[in-house]
Each structure stands twice: as structure tokens, then as C-alpha cells.
Amino acid sequence: MQKICVIGGSRYFGRLLVKRLQAAGHQVTVINRGSTRPPAGVEHLVVDRNDEAALVAALGTRTFDAVVDQVCYTPVQAATAARAFRGRTRRYVMTSTIEVYDPATAALTAVPTATPVPEETVDPSTWPVSTDLPWHDEAYLEAHYAEGKRQAEAVLTRAAGFEFASVRSAHVLGGGAREFTGRLAHYVERIARGEEVTVHAEALPTVFIHYEELADLLLWAATAADFTGPINACSDGLLDVRDLSAVVAARTGRQPVYRTVARGETASPFSFCRHYAMSNARAKRLGFSFSRTTDWLPGAVAEALTASAVRTA
């Protein structure tokens, strides 16, 4: 049994992670602001992780084998966590994102379109950090989501007092109504109603991961693995927007209606005009086995169809 702290953990794959940690026999503590209670038997610390003094007070004398941070979005939050958990945990795992590789958000080394992007494309040990930017402004944070994650990784990579690993998640799908982003529902509902799906003229592929697989990977990263640095978390197989729509079409019985967007016009989610589909080779070398996206995606579409029918009934 290990003592694991989860910051966030109130919804989607974070909540599932908490349940899986508990089922594996670990002693789990969840930290959030109290809007959602964790499952019975899980210790709950109600505190705003942005309030360093309150966080330190809530932690008291607790120590952990690992911390899994689900809701770290800025270098300021990362710095607060680094100070609060220094000497309290052996290992710190942060949930990051595929968006750190988006070439539209930073000057990155170009990776050939046919080549999945490796972790070293964004090296947190050398990435510049600016904590004096307006990270507390919600509009600024939303517009600089990818950079916030890059800088948060950088701060925690350089922190002393614990091992640090970041899990850069692909686009997460599955779970029907639990999939709170609504991106898969966008396709299910539009294709089922015969409405147009907007796409780029040459839409490039991306990568996905099922929410249960991501929860399993985070559990492994926190309790069984000993790697440090970033790993990419994505199921095997690249899909573009038309591949995704074809799976939805097979379930709905309706053919997609596409409209190509003009330059500068926003397309449907998962239609990309730039390449940043990740490679999962490092995670495989470290011992994690991934599913294939095409194996679980039809089931995820079926769940989204059911959830959509419930919403519109």
C-alpha cells in the first residue's frame, strides 16, 4: 500500500484514477475546493491549491509516496506546489497535454509531418519560465493554455525535493456524458442530424486516448514506474477528422456532410492544419502497453450517442 495524494480528481479520468487507486489498495487523499466529494473511504482535504498558506496548513504533517496533480495549469501554481510538497512526497506526477507541442503556440523544432512527435521536442529542463505574466487572469490563461502547461512542467522539473514526471495526454475521449469537453458529441450530433462538419482542406492526423486508459497510465506512473521527465500518453494509431467522422457515420447510419473552411476560419474540433501528433514510444519502452484507438473508438461513439439522446429527449 502506498499513500497517494490527488490534486483535483473530481471528474472524468481524475475521478476514475481515484477509484482505481483505492481499488488497488492504496491510501488516497484528494485535495480540491469541495465542489465534489471523493468516493467513500478517501480522505478529503478542502482547500484552494492556489492559496499556499492554506494548502500547507491543510496538509499538516502528512507525507505521501506520490502526488498526482490533475489541475496544474501555470508556473505560479507549479511553484506553489513545489514549495508545499517539498519533503512531503517521493514522487510528483503532473497531468499535461498534447497541446505543449502545438507549433501555433510556440517556436518549436519542426518535426516532419509523417513522424510522430517525441518528448524531446519540448524539453522542460530548458524551457523559459515567466511567473510575472498575468496567469491569474482567466482570459489570459485560456489563450495561453499550452504555454502555461509548458512552464508548469519546467518549474516542477527544476524543483528540489522529489522526483518529477509529466504525462502529456492526447485528446481524451470515452465515457459518454462524463466526457465534459463535448468534442465527440459535436460530431455525433452534427452527423446524426445531417449538419455540416467543418474541416481544413488538408486536415492532418492527431492522436487520442480513452479516459480509462489514461487513468490506468496515471496509476502506473504514480505507483509502479520510476521514470522522470515527460512521457506522451496516446493510444496507437493516428486519425484525422475524416477518419473520426467515418466511425461516427458507421454508428449513426448517416454520411458526414463536410465543408472546407477558408483560411483563418475555425474548423470543427480535431481538424488540424498543423502537425503535432505524438509518439508513445518512450512510454512503451518504459513498460506501458497501449490499446489501438480504432478498437475502443466505436464504443466511445456509441456512448456519446446514448448521452446525446438523453440530453435531447
Side-chain angles (χ1 to χ4, degrees):
M1 181 189 74
Q2 297 184 44
K3 294 189 293 182
I4 311 296
C5 175
V6 179
I7 306 175
S10 62
R11 60 180 180 172
Y12 205 27
F13 60 86
R15 189 167 182 83
L16 180 58
L17 169 64
V18 170
K19 292 180 179 178
R20 297 241 166 127
L21 285 165
Q22 191 178 28
H26 299 297
Q27 181 181 326
V28 186
T29 297
V30 165
I31 294 175
N32 61 34
R33 290 181 292 185
S35 59
T36 304
R37 294 190 59 80
V42 172
E43 183 182 36
H44 189 198
L45 301 182
V46 178
V47 64
D48 183 348
R49 58 93 43 82
N50 298 308
D51 186 334
E52 185 172 348
L55 177 59
V56 170
L59 288 169
T61 60
R62 292 172 180 80
T63 60
F64 305 98
D65 294 291
V67 173
V68 183
D69 194 341
Q70 297 282 77
V71 288
C72 188
Y73 301 109
T74 76
V76 176
Q77 290 177 324
T80 296
R83 291 188 294 267
F85 286 95
R86 183 180 295 122
R88 293 182 186 272
T89 186
R90 174 185 59 83
R91 185 167 179 78
Y92 200 103
V93 178
M94 173 190 152
T95 304
S96 191
T97 173
I98 185 177
E99 300 302 330
V100 302
Y101 300 116
D102 185 352
T105 64
L108 303 174
T109 302
V111 177
T113 300
T115 305
V117 178
E119 287 85 356
E120 55 264 30
T121 304
V122 175
D123 182 356
S125 69
T126 60
W127 197 263
V129 172
S130 298
T131 56
D132 57 348
L133 295 173
W135 294 113
H136 294 95
D137 181 86
E138 291 187 10
Y140 182 87
L141 178 56
E142 182 177 358
H144 297 82
Y145 171 71
E147 182 61 17
K149 284 289 192 179
R150 285 188 287 258
Q151 292 196 25
E153 285 190 42
V155 169
L156 288 165
T157 295
R158 299 164 198 172
F162 47 69
E163 302 170 355
F164 174 66
S166 58
V167 174
R168 294 172 175 170
S169 171
H171 307 292
V172 189
L173 299 177
R178 290 185 291 272
E179 199 274 291
F180 61 90
T181 67
R183 292 174 296 184
L184 186 55
H186 170 92
Y187 288 91
V188 165
E189 293 170 6
R190 296 190 74 81
I191 292 174
R193 293 195 295 255
E195 298 175 358
E196 66 182 21
V197 174
T198 53
V199 299
H200 293 95
E202 296 183 12
L204 295 174
T206 188
V207 285
F208 300 90
I209 191 166
H210 193 273
Y211 83 108
E212 292 183 353
E213 187 165 43
L214 182 54
D216 289 340
L217 188 146
L218 287 166
L219 186 151
W220 167 77
T223 65
D226 60 1
F227 71 91
T228 58
I231 59 165
N232 296 334
C234 56
S235 301
D236 289 336
L238 279 63
L239 279 75
D240 64 26
V241 63
R242 293 176 185 268
D243 298 325
L244 176 64
S245 296
V247 176
V248 175
R251 286 281 173 169
T252 61
R254 301 286 300 271
Q255 288 302 306
V257 178
Y258 297 112
R259 180 176 66 82
T260 301
V261 297
R263 183 182 298 274
E265 183 183 358
T266 300
S268 293
F270 308 136
S271 181
F272 297 105
C273 60
R274 53 202 186 276
H275 168 62
Y276 57 111
M278 299 187 300
S279 166
N280 60 15
R282 184 179 189 227
K284 286 181 176 179
R285 289 195 302 269
L286 290 167
F288 192 83
S289 297
F290 290 96
S291 66
R292 289 197 64 80
T293 301
T294 50
D295 289 339
W296 56 258
L297 184 55
V301 170
E303 290 175 332
L305 273 167
T306 300
S308 178
V310 170
R311 284 195 301 270
T312 58

